[in-house]
Amino acid sequence: MRKLLCLLVVFTGCITSAMAQQKHIEGVVKDAGTHDNLPFATIRVKSPAGATSSSMADNKGQFKIDAQPGATVMISFTGYNTMAMIVKENDSTHWNIMLQNANAALSEVVVIGYGKERRKDLTSAVATVSGKEIVEMPSTNLASALASRTPGLEVHANSTQPGAGVSVNIRGLNSISQLQGPLYIVDGVALVGDIRNVNPADIESVEILKDAAAAGIYGSRAAEGVVLITTKKPKAGQTAVNFDMYAGIQVNNPAYKMLGAKDYYKLKRTAFTNADPVSFPPNADTTDGKIFNQYELKSITNGFQSYNWQNAIAHNNAPIQNYNISLANGTGSNRVYFSGNYMDQQGILINTGYKKYAGYLADESQIRSFLKIGGSVNFTHDQTRNAMPGEFQQSLTQSPLMPPYDSTNQPLIIIDNSTGISTIINPLTTALYATNMYTTNRTNANLYLELTPFKNLTLRSSIGADIYQAEADTYWPRNTGGGFSTNGSGEIYNTRSTDVLWENTANYYLTKGRHELNVLGGFTFERHENFATDMQGQYFPTDLLSFKNMGSAGVKVQDNSNYDGWSVRSLLARAIYKFKGRYILNVTARQDGSSRFGPDNKFGFFPTVSGAWRVVDEPFIGYKLKTVLSDFKLRASYGLVGNQNLPYDAIYTRFNQAQYPFNGSSVTSGYTIGGTAGNTSLEWERQHQLNAGTDIAVLNNRISLSVDVYKKNISALLMPLTLAPSSGFYNEQVNVAAMQTKGIDVMLKATPIETKRFAWQTSVNWSKYQSRITKLFPGRDSISLSLRVGLPPSGTYVNYVYDGLYQKGDDFKLNPNGKPGDIRIKDVNGDGKITPQDEVVVGSSIPKGWGSWWNYFRLGRFNLVVYSTYQYGHQLNNLTYTNLTYYNAGFGNTANVTVEGGKYWTPENPNTNIPRPDAFGTSLRTLPGGTGQGSSYSIQKAAYIKIQHITLGYDVDGNVLKRMHMNSLNVYAQVLNPFLFTGYKGVDPDVSGGNSSNELYPRYRTFLLGLKLGL
């Protein structure tokens, strides 16, 4: 009994001792950003002995636990990073736990005008394209790499030619006559137009400021949107060397298949017989000698020997190669980043291609804790060898009966007098001997100083310069079609421009309790100058020096120069206020003064306001909903931006050169008023834009959706007003017109599958817009059939309506001279005759929607990327198709046609849309206005789905890399433009502008092998 009592005493003492060591802790769990309580957070306690227990905070985020000193307390909440706390003997017994949001997408820092902001706090429409996305698909132009990457951004290449420029639109049409494209800001350097000099491999991120509130801080430069380009900088504490390269071949992918020799022979005979059966009887032996040359007759005699002209001027396997190397040193107070790039893309057509050399250097030095200086410089030299106009089309339409080479294996020279002007009809001489070269040298440099005199205040001053020089050299030697009749024809066009931007800003950040305030103020000054010279000449004594000795030209066709210069002085301000991290207000204002305007309207004021409500952070969003809902934000903005892109001399009256009789016997040179009258009352084109949007994410951001709707009312649009002859001027520019553009942008991202071994990520975006003119001149709602109130300012096709082909037995009242097989035009107004009043809208090049679909798959160390773009609901004026399917439509009476064009109308083949061939072209152009008019015959639906690239890569195992002293190594195979799904009958519907005259070049597929190496 005594022993049992002793054991009981010892056991009780142990329990008492253990209970004495327990600490009672009370606390609350909050969001570190918003300070809002997190209800029902999970609290896990792990004792030093390894025992665990779990509890949950209440609906206010408050909790109570008992834990021994040395125990580990884990606090977790869905969508937040878990926090671990160690219980210590002397620590406080009241804990205030602040959990960080684990949503990387929301924590992402986004570059905005003159600053940065967390994505979760954005109040306006800002889209981001990462540097990783940009280099996913090789491109000679950064703008091309952005194509359809984000909703609202429309990018189309001007042609498929290497080094071709691009057309960029942000949220549709923004002016009637003064479109220039978006403003690009590259590390503080302002660029407009071509940005091919920016190496895609040097890009850290690209932000597209789409609405007025986002772009308004740039005032009068922001009417067509702003693109902020941030280049790579050395990261603190890191030293890295990266090398990437790819090489491959480009394979011709012909869009057109032309007739062979025998079918062409039949076509040409039929065309001449239809045109003049008396002179060219169908069965006479003499007909061939009248319409075929000696070389064609020889091929006919040899059993219709056929020649492929496309193969004569094209490579089947054109090489392409690209190399990038970068070195970054982020250790110490001085950080340096350097990169070099070399690219060589040979063209599918002989003697065409693109070559680029580029170097980039960035440096940043922390001189003192409060003083930092830095700068960057980028230099690019590139050279584009372009095909001559018509070269590709001529190779398609050349007679397959005629050989490209003569008996000495030199290009066959045949003189063609059928047009009344002697010329050479062999496009091979143009491809081999003519010159069409475009060379640029561009330097972008930026230098900045950043001072922090005291906490939360940053003063920054930077100066950036864009120095651009371009030269276009063209020469047609006398053995080419373009130079035969003029003994050589040449041109040199030089452009030199500089743009200097000086910016000074002060930024102050204040946090007090649940209030945050960020205030920005600044002053900027920009000066732009452009100088161009143009020299054209003919009748050169020799072709040996080509364009390099323009002074030797016997005839000076052109020898002049042009200047364009302007300045803008600006004051800007912005205030961003946040309350509780979920109510956000952003107000900006900018005043611009531009030298392009007269004294009464020199200054413009551009205010904007935007706000956001982070609904997801509201207390009424319960715990259960928050386990599903990762983000929910509502945004709205309204603002005014301007457009100063009027002709720099529009406020000045022009004088023209003139000659006056003097004393009745001699002539004196002088000037007279004329041309365009100056208008000192011109003012800014103004754009009021309203935007409303929402951002939603669920399942820990596995699925996210962003939707924006917008409406832009644009007024004071510049138009040329025709003046009475008595004024002495043709016209003057006036602010008179107005238009409206409205649309919607949608972006959906999802990670349907994510496991340790396999993952699938996908994103889809879709955009559409509608633009219409709401006002033109007072009392006038129409200037032309395609420019009138209710229609878009561009992209509308107005023409006669194609109504099929005339058949035997039809009534030819509308075309008394017509014959069966001719095109029939619809009498729209029913007056019994074809007149200009029968012309109507027959199509539009503005799509009803466009976008992209991106897919990423990972299986172990293998990864696959498939990227496609699409566009629908629009038409293109495919004149090339018309010219290639109808004999003598546009290339003279020697022209071959496509296989489809060979299925032309005959009495035995009436069910076709190809008119009967006619050597004079009358069966296609039978309209009252003459042979130059057309119809909706050429208008084609241009919807497409285009697989832009398929890339299969492999990431080398880390253990292997360690043995090889590497940080990373990825090898990949890639095919560009593998598939195009479309009913369009041209080279590529993904072209800039509404006409297929941009089809200057064949389409092709590219096959690449590449690697990305990090040391």
Side-chain angles (χ1 to χ4, degrees), residues 548-578:
K548 299 171 186 175
N549 187 11
M550 293 296 292
S552 66
V555 175
K556 303 295 191 301
V557 179
Q558 186 80 269
D559 188 2
N560 64 11
S561 62
N562 189 41
Y563 172 82
D564 177 2
W566 49 265
S567 301
V568 175
R569 188 275 297 156
S570 306
L571 299 173
L572 58 95
R574 178 177 61 210
I576 303 175
Y577 171 69
K578 304 174 188 176

Side-chain angles (χ1 to χ4, degrees), residues 13 154 165 191 235 238 270 286-287 344 355 513 536-537 627 846 1010:
E154 191 176 10
L191 307 178
K235 292 180 172 58
Q238 294 184 9
T270 302
T286 57
T287 297
D344 185 6
K355 188 175 290 187
Q536 299 178 33
T627 60
I846 299 175

Side-chain angles (χ1 to χ4, degrees), residues 312-588:
I313 71 163
H315 300 290
N316 190 39
N317 298 311
I320 180 175
Q321 55 184 324
N322 184 81
Y323 305 91
N324 278 296
I325 187 169
S326 65
L327 300 90
N329 182 7
T331 59
S333 60
N334 189 55
R335 304 173 188 173
V336 180
Y337 178 91
F338 168 77
S339 74
N341 170 244
Y342 168 72
M343 182 179 191
D344 185 6
Q345 180 184 6
Q346 298 297 310
I348 290 293
L349 297 184
I350 58 177
N351 285 335
T352 63
Y354 177 76
K355 188 175 290 187
K356 180 172 75 171
Y357 305 86
Y360 170 71
L361 175 66
D363 182 83
E364 186 177 274
S365 296
Q366 192 73 45
I367 305 300
R368 295 287 186 272
S369 60
F370 57 87
L371 179 62
K372 181 168 64 176
I373 63 171
S376 64
V377 59
N378 179 71
F379 173 77
T380 303
H381 168 82
D382 65 3
Q383 187 178 79
T384 307
R385 289 174 288 119
N386 295 307
M388 280 293 191
E391 179 182 320
F392 172 49
Q393 287 92 338
Q394 278 190 327
S395 73
L396 296 172
T397 58
Q398 202 69 9
S399 169
L401 290 167
M402 194 167 63
Y405 298 95
D406 61 20
S407 58
T408 64
N409 207 31
Q410 295 298 313
L412 182 66
I413 303 297
I414 297 179
I415 308 302
D416 177 24
N417 296 305
S418 63
T419 61
I421 301 176
S422 297
T423 185
I424 294 173
I425 60 174
N426 190 340
L428 189 59
T429 62
T430 300
L432 289 172
Y433 307 129
T435 299
N436 187 6
M437 188 162 54
Y438 186 69
T439 306
T440 71
N441 293 288
R442 194 167 197 173
T443 301
N444 306 134
N446 172 259
L447 182 66
Y448 73 87
L449 181 148
E450 195 169 281
L451 177 67
T452 307
F454 54 84
K455 186 179 179 181
N456 296 337
L457 176 64
T458 302
L459 306 178
R460 181 184 174 96
S461 180
S462 69
I463 186 167
D466 174 31
I467 304 170
Y468 179 77
Q469 186 273 328
E471 182 175 312
D473 303 314
T474 307
Y475 190 77
W476 297 84
R478 50 182 38 82
N479 60 351
T480 64
F484 175 76
S485 62
T486 58
N487 282 345
S489 177
E491 179 180 11
I492 297 178
Y493 189 89
N494 268 299
T495 301
R496 301 193 310 273
S497 68
T498 58
D499 192 289
V500 179
L501 176 62
W502 182 36
E503 299 178 313
N504 302 274
T505 59
N507 197 326
Y508 182 70
Y509 180 77
L510 174 66
T511 301
K512 189 172 183 180
R514 296 186 174 186
H515 303 273
E516 294 180 50
L517 179 64
N518 182 269
V519 180
L520 170 77
F523 165 81
T524 74
F525 179 80
E526 182 176 7
R527 174 65 179 167
H528 177 89
E529 290 187 300
N530 184 77
F531 186 78
T533 58
D534 185 19
M535 293 184 291
Q536 299 178 33
Q538 297 175 343
Y539 296 96
F540 289 82
T542 176
D543 290 328
L544 293 177
L545 296 177
S546 66
F547 62 87
K548 299 171 186 175
N549 187 11
M550 293 296 292
S552 66
V555 175
K556 303 295 191 301
V557 179
Q558 186 80 269
D559 188 2
N560 64 11
S561 62
N562 189 41
Y563 172 82
D564 177 2
W566 49 265
S567 301
V568 175
R569 188 275 297 156
S570 306
L571 299 173
L572 58 95
R574 178 177 61 210
I576 303 175
Y577 171 69
K578 304 174 188 176
F579 177 62
K580 294 185 177 181
R582 58 178 180 264
Y583 309 111
I584 308 166
L585 179 67
N586 186 323
V587 179
T588 70

Side-chain angles (χ1 to χ4, degrees), residues 613-629:
W613 176 27
R614 291 195 48 77
V615 183
V616 71
D617 293 330
E618 289 290 354
F620 61 75
I621 302 294
Y623 167 74
K624 288 185 178 180
L625 184 55
K626 273 200 171 184
T627 60
V628 177
L629 189 64

Side-chain angles (χ1 to χ4, degrees), residues 638-679:
Y638 181 81
L640 170 66
V641 293
N643 184 5
Q644 64 146 5
N645 294 329
L646 71 160
Y648 85 100
D649 57 353
I651 63 174
Y652 303 109
T653 297
R654 284 182 174 271
F655 287 81
N656 295 334
Q657 288 184 335
Q659 292 182 326
Y660 300 89
F662 187 71
N663 291 332
S665 59
S666 61
V667 176
T668 300
S669 296
Y671 296 90
T672 181
I673 59 173
T676 300
N679 183 356

Side-chain angles (χ1 to χ4, degrees), residues 856-866 949-956 969-974 1008-1012:
Y856 168 84
F857 304 91
R858 175 182 55 80
L859 179 61
R861 296 192 173 277
F862 288 94
N863 51 78
L864 175 69
V865 176
V866 181
H949 75 90
I950 300 174
T951 305
L952 177 64
Y954 178 78
D955 295 311
V956 177
L969 177 60
N970 173 269
V971 293
Y972 64 91
Q974 186 175 59
L1008 301 173
L1009 292 175
L1011 64 85
K1012 298 176 183 179

